[in-house]
Amino acid sequence: MKLSLGRRRGSELAAIGRGKKDTLKGMHLEDFVRLGGVTPFVLPPELAPGDILIPTCMHAAAAFILNYGLKTPGLFKVPGNPTTIYALYDYYQKQFEEKNEPVVQTISLAKLPSHIRYNVHDVTHLLKKLLYCIPGGLLGSPDVFQALYNIHSFISPDPSLGDHISSKVKPRMIALALASINLHSRISLICAVFGLLRAVSLASDFEMEPRLRDPHETLTAMKEDALSIIFGPLLLGDKSDQILVPENEDRGGLLHPKPVPTTNATPKLSKYTGRHGSTNTKMQTGQAKRAALVCEMLISSWEDICYQLKKI
């Protein structure tokens, strides 16, 4: 798995509109809902645990991708036009600025602006930019991430239980971890995003079947591993640096608060800057890898996870 695509994902999103107004960055999901309203996001039944209501601005982008972009090569990977992406972003940003009070009607009509010319790659980056704004990312909690990573790392099928029961253990535990999130709107957004990503992966499978004779076509196939590299950094967002990769991998990816710099550091430490820089790079690579592993687990198992969520 190539991680170079994932390490800079956050900085690439931050660069969109750099130096321009950004009032949505750091806006809590509750405020997206309170000020912008929500819209039902309709997925195929096997990809949704029930009714899904997500912020209207995010629904506009996600619904466009679901309806018109699933078969687009390089979806979520091919860069859009930064000027167009910021224009779309600013369109919703201004809507939030104009609303100083909660919306009267919680269910809002979601559609992209008609006065801006855009393509599907612009819209995919708009969705990622909006998700990037949310403090704590999609999951919101390093504890939830830790639970999911531990499930990925330590829960394996038990042959003694039989395939029928054993195959349900991991999806059941994932569903319980997601259900532990205490904000319903966050669970809905998680279900919308991973339902969409699973739909992209399945569409990629279908599209690749008649093209297997051409090896170059696999470069544009957006499978679970490629999507996980892109969306891994969005699992925890600005809390991604709390994933501490220990020197002893047997400890299993524990999460700790990032260290606070000491005030008695001396200039003599400057000669070690290269060593520290290398350590930080290894840490970031390890964090990106763990986030991608969790993300890939969620995408590839999403139908089974949805089934278990329905039973909770």
Side-chain angles (χ1 to χ4, degrees):
M1 179 185 295
K2 296 182 179 179
L3 293 174
S4 58
L5 293 175
R7 288 202 300 265
R8 298 187 299 272
R9 192 64 50 187
S11 60
E12 291 173 359
L13 295 174
I16 298 173
R18 177 171 291 164
K20 299 181 180 180
K21 179 175 58 178
D22 189 351
T23 58
L24 298 184
K25 177 59 180 173
M27 178 178 285
H28 291 276
L29 183 57
E30 303 94 308
D31 292 325
F32 272 101
V33 172
R34 181 176 61 88
L35 297 174
V38 292
T39 304
F41 185 54
V42 181
L43 285 161
E46 66 274 13
L47 299 181
D51 295 336
I52 299 176
L53 297 175
I54 61 175
T56 299
C57 57
M58 298 176 190
H59 178 281
F64 181 87
I65 297 166
L66 181 66
N67 293 327
Y68 305 108
L70 291 185
K71 298 181 180 180
T72 304
L75 195 66
F76 289 111
K77 181 179 180 180
V78 175
N81 184 311
T83 301
T84 303
I85 298 168
Y86 182 76
L88 291 167
Y89 182 79
D90 191 48
Y91 170 79
Y92 292 105
Q93 181 174 235
K94 289 177 179 177
Q95 288 189 349
F96 280 94
E97 290 174 353
E98 294 169 358
K99 293 178 178 179
N100 295 320
E101 298 179 357
V103 291
V104 176
Q105 186 178 5
T106 56
I107 305 296
S108 304
L109 177 64
K111 61 180 181 178
L112 293 167
S114 58
H115 65 281
I116 299 175
R117 298 184 63 181
Y118 51 82
N119 60 35
V120 68
H121 297 302
D122 300 324
V123 179
T124 59
H125 280 69
L126 168 65
L127 178 60
K128 290 189 294 180
K129 176 75 171 175
L130 291 170
L131 295 174
Y132 178 71
C133 293
I134 304 172
L138 280 167
L139 298 178
S141 167
D143 292 335
V144 174
F145 179 89
Q146 178 181 354
L148 293 172
Y149 180 77
N150 288 340
I151 291 170
H152 169 272
S153 301
F154 304 122
I155 304 300
S156 301
D158 185 351
S160 65
L161 297 176
D163 292 341
H164 180 68
I165 296 177
S166 180
S167 63
K168 296 180 179 181
V169 173
K170 182 173 285 190
R172 178 67 176 180
M173 296 189 71
I174 295 172
L176 290 171
L178 296 178
S180 70
I181 297 173
N182 59 8
L183 186 63
H184 183 73
S185 57
R186 189 177 291 277
I187 298 176
S188 289
L189 184 59
I190 291 170
C191 291
V193 170
F194 282 99
L196 176 62
L197 295 181
R198 183 58 178 161
V200 172
S201 174
L202 292 172
S204 181
D205 270 341
F206 180 78
E207 283 295 294
M208 286 307 300
E209 287 182 4
R211 302 181 184 182
L212 291 178
R213 294 182 181 179
D214 185 355
H216 298 291
E217 290 290 347
T218 59
L219 297 176
T220 60
M222 297 310 295
K223 297 296 299 166
E224 294 90 343
D225 55 347
L227 292 169
S228 67
I229 292 172
I230 296 169
F231 277 83
L234 297 177
L235 287 181
L236 284 178
D238 58 0
K239 294 183 179 180
S240 295
D241 58 356
Q242 294 187 31
I243 305 173
L244 183 61
V245 181
E247 293 182 3
N248 183 359
E249 285 295 330
D250 292 336
R251 291 173 57 193
L254 301 180
L255 290 145
H256 305 279
K258 58 182 179 179
V260 179
T262 57
T263 57
N264 59 350
T266 64
K268 293 181 180 180
L269 294 176
S270 61
K271 65 181 179 180
Y272 298 107
T273 301
R275 182 186 301 173
H276 294 329
S278 175
T279 301
N280 288 337
T281 300
K282 290 180 180 178
M283 178 71 73
Q284 292 170 0
T285 301
Q287 290 167 342
K289 181 178 180 179
R290 288 165 183 261
L293 289 172
V294 170
C295 198
E296 184 174 355
M297 175 183 70
L298 292 173
I299 297 172
S300 60
S301 305
W302 190 245
E303 291 98 329
D304 293 331
I305 296 169
C306 281
Y307 177 77
Q308 294 299 329
L309 284 171
K310 292 175 182 178
K311 298 174 65 175
I312 295 176

